[in-house]
């Protein structure tokens, strides 16, 4: 039988629309500073290449409203397409930093995928000490800038540039912007440090590591007292009792 609108797609003939699509990226709970992320998903078999088959939506509101300030952005994609990147245009500045977003996808008139949440968070800027600087204090203060939308930070300090060993790991539930070591660092040693920002349920990307060199140890070695020579008194001459010799 003829179908209005032309030849029916394989999706309609095989009821592909009843299958729920699995999203790939951004992953649920992810966070990064990318304002034009790549949305991707596992494609379904039997899609028509030249026909608009996939319906993608993203919004700041998990309810995906069609109107209002957080109205959903909707994109239609051909059946051979399983990814989409927000384009860079004069009218599109990408996603807003400091906010959480939700996305979902489905086959035309089919079952929506799960809603995936991700956040767009800047990386902090490491401000003190400067990268590569030799610090003057054996307990230097490390400081960084605030990130919009973040409510916690994680700091790592290590002598290993890969942060795989000897790592001091500190998390701040409050938006602290500096750290002071509780104990002296090792003198004349190169340290690396990095920071990342987070929300209540996810973390953003790490900053590129900065390095600083600690000063030589300020500990003064204990000095042994200089030995004082001991004078041994000479033995007195034997007494004659005051008797004159005969």
């Amino acid at each position: 039988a003829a179908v209005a609108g032309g030849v029916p797609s394989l999706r309609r003939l095989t009821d592909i629309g009843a299958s729920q699509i699995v999203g790939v990226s951004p992953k649920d709970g992810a966070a990064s500073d990318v304002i034009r992320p790549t949305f991707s998903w596992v494609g379904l078999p039997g899609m028509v290449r030249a026909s608009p088959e996939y319906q993608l939506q993203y919004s700041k509101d998990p309810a995906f409203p069609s109107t209002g300030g957080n109205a959903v952005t909707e994109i239609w994609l051909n059946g051979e397409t399983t990814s989409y990147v927000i384009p860079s245009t004069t009218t599109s500045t990408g996603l807003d930093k400091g906010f959480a977003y939700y996305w979902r996808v489905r086959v035309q008139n089919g079952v929506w995928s799960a809603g995936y949440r991700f956040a767009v968070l800047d990386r902090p800027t490491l401000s003190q000490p400067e990268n590569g600087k030799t610090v003057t204090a054996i307990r230097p203060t490390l400081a960084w800038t605030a990130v919009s939308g973040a409510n916690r930070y994680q700091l790592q300090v290590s002598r290993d540039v890969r942060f795989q060993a000897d790592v001091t790991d500190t998390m701040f539930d409050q938006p602290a912007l500096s750290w002071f070591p509780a104990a002296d660092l090792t003198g004349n040693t190169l340290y690396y440090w990095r920071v990342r920002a987070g929300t209540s349920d996810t973390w953003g990307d790490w900053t590129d590591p900065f390095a600083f060199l600690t000063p030589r140890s300020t500990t003064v070695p204990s000095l042994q007292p200089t030995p004082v020579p001991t004078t041994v008194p000479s033995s007195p001459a034997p007494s004659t009792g005051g008797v004159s010799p005969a």
Side-chain angles (χ1 to χ4, degrees):
V3 178
V7 178
S9 70
L10 293 179
R11 175 188 55 77
R12 296 186 181 90
L13 293 177
T14 59
D15 198 24
I16 291 175
S19 300
Q20 188 176 41
I21 296 175
V22 176
V24 175
S25 70
K27 294 182 179 180
D28 191 41
S32 76
D33 59 355
V34 178
I35 61 174
R36 294 184 176 85
T38 297
F39 299 93
S40 65
W41 55 92
V42 178
L44 297 178
M47 304 301 288
V48 174
R49 176 174 300 182
S51 174
E53 295 284 348
Y54 289 116
Q55 184 182 7
L56 169 68
Q57 292 183 342
Y58 62 88
S59 171
K60 293 178 182 175
D61 189 331
F64 299 95
S66 58
T67 59
N70 294 326
V72 68
T73 298
E74 183 172 284
I75 301 96
W76 286 93
L77 300 158
N78 292 339
E80 64 179 348
T81 304
T82 56
S83 66
Y84 173 78
V85 180
I86 298 175
S88 176
T89 66
T90 56
T91 58
S92 173
T93 57
L95 302 182
D96 296 326
K97 291 185 177 181
F99 291 91
Y101 283 85
Y102 304 83
W103 72 282
R104 63 183 183 178
V105 65
R106 69 174 178 176
V107 172
Q108 185 184 98
N109 299 323
V111 178
W112 283 110
S113 70
Y116 300 95
R117 180 188 183 280
F118 67 99
V120 183
L121 286 176
D122 262 331
R123 304 183 195 191
T125 298
L126 306 183
S127 56
Q128 176 186 331
E130 296 177 5
N131 191 24
K133 183 177 181 180
T134 298
V135 296
T136 58
I138 201 65
R139 298 189 191 184
T141 296
L142 309 183
W144 55 93
T145 60
V147 171
S148 176
N151 57 17
R152 58 178 178 162
Y153 297 91
Q154 182 177 7
L155 163 74
Q156 288 187 340
V157 182
S158 177
R159 287 177 286 188
D160 178 5
V161 69
R162 297 171 298 177
F163 296 90
Q164 295 180 353
D166 188 33
V167 179
T168 299
D169 193 304
T170 308
M171 286 183 284
F172 307 92
D173 290 333
Q174 299 299 321
L177 299 176
S178 64
W179 175 80
F180 183 78
D184 290 355
L185 302 181
T186 304
N188 196 32
T189 300
L190 189 63
Y191 281 88
Y192 302 91
W193 65 292
R194 63 182 183 177
V195 179
R196 64 178 178 175
T199 63
S200 58
D201 58 359
T202 192
W203 289 103
D205 294 329
W206 287 106
T207 61
D208 292 331
F210 269 21
F212 64 89
L213 181 67
T214 55
R216 294 185 181 277
S217 178
T218 57
T219 302
V220 178
S222 59
L223 299 177
Q224 297 296 326
T226 303
V228 177
T230 302
T231 302
V232 180
S234 57
S235 301
S239 175
T240 60
V243 179
S244 299

